[in-house]
Amino acid sequence: MRDGTHDSPKAVDEGFPLVTSKHLLPYGVDLSTANLISKEDFDKTNERSIVETHDILISMIGTVGLISLVIDNPVPFAIKNVGLFKTSKCPELFAYILTYLRSTKTTQHIEKTLAGSTQKYISLGELRKMPIILPDENQLNDFNSIVVPLIIQITNLTEENKRLAELRDTLLPKLMSGELDISDIDI
């Protein structure tokens, strides 16, 4: 369990996205509004907390407790003020930890440990103390045989939705401007 940088690297016109809690999606992150940081700041941030495929991110400030499975491969971003569960280092646990963190029991535990009066937050120390009950090997294998294929399907559909949205955003302006002629298409 780690967290991203607490520094505020200078935004640049070209570089690497810096993800905060507002960019977290249930599966993946929304990089469209992320600030870009220099290669130097990206490398410095990743010394502390490099994010890899199948790691789990958790928002730690503001809207606390948003859980996001990292589906990018390779991961093109760094994180700021976001908790990082390094489940990529123990791949057989990523699906279990993901569902555990999204459970009602865990959500209630997080709510009880929040600090801050103006803006709520959870500390890295509290996240590290969070109790996680691990199943035995047979239970984990049974769990993974059911849940991992579902997560893979959700991930594939999420990526397909992203590609379709990009295609829509590329084609729609061309259709509206008349740049693309579709008069010969028989629907």
Side-chain angles (χ1 to χ4, degrees):
M1 179 72 223
R2 302 177 185 156
D3 64 348
T5 185
H6 297 278
D7 296 335
S8 294
K10 182 181 176 190
V12 296
D13 292 333
E14 291 184 21
F16 297 87
L18 183 63
V19 167
T20 64
S21 58
K22 68 182 176 183
H23 303 109
L24 300 184
L25 301 172
Y27 293 87
V29 295
D30 178 9
L31 299 177
S32 65
T33 61
N35 286 336
L36 301 179
I37 59 174
S38 69
K39 171 84 167 118
E40 182 181 325
D41 286 334
F42 177 77
D43 290 342
K44 182 180 175 188
T45 299
N46 281 340
E47 284 176 16
R48 174 187 174 104
S49 52
I50 189 164
V51 181
E52 298 172 295
T53 306
H54 289 154
D55 281 342
I56 299 169
L57 305 176
I58 181 171
S59 59
M60 295 176 63
I61 191 165
T63 306
V64 178
L66 299 175
I67 308 294
S68 177
L69 176 66
V70 177
I71 60 175
D72 296 279
N73 189 9
V75 176
F77 59 85
I79 56 173
K80 174 184 169 142
N81 294 331
V82 173
L84 172 63
F85 287 86
K86 291 295 298 173
T87 48
S88 61
K89 299 298 181 200
C90 195
E92 65 277 3
L93 283 175
F94 91 90
Y96 177 78
I97 299 294
L98 178 68
T99 54
Y100 191 88
L101 291 173
R102 289 182 173 164
S103 72
T104 302
K105 182 178 179 177
T106 302
T107 302
Q108 290 169 346
H109 175 80
I110 289 171
E111 287 174 7
K112 288 180 201 171
T113 59
L114 292 179
S117 56
T118 306
Q119 187 171 35
K120 298 292 184 188
Y121 69 92
I122 188 165
S123 69
L124 182 59
E126 285 296 335
L127 284 176
R128 286 180 172 160
K129 291 190 301 188
M130 184 170 27
I132 297 179
I133 301 164
L134 296 176
D136 66 38
E137 189 175 344
N138 289 334
Q139 291 170 323
L140 184 60
N141 289 336
D142 290 345
F143 179 86
N144 283 339
S145 70
I146 296 168
V147 176
V148 170
L150 296 173
I151 290 175
I152 290 170
Q153 184 176 14
I154 291 168
T155 299
N156 290 340
L157 292 172
T158 299
E159 289 295 324
E160 182 67 15
N161 282 342
K162 188 170 140 183
R163 282 189 292 277
L164 289 171
E166 289 169 359
L167 183 61
R168 176 202 62 213
D169 293 345
T170 301
L171 290 177
L172 191 57
K174 292 179 180 185
L175 288 168
M176 298 299 287
S177 70
E179 185 179 335
L180 290 179
D181 180 18
I182 59 169
S183 59
D184 292 339
I185 296 176
D186 184 26
I187 299 179

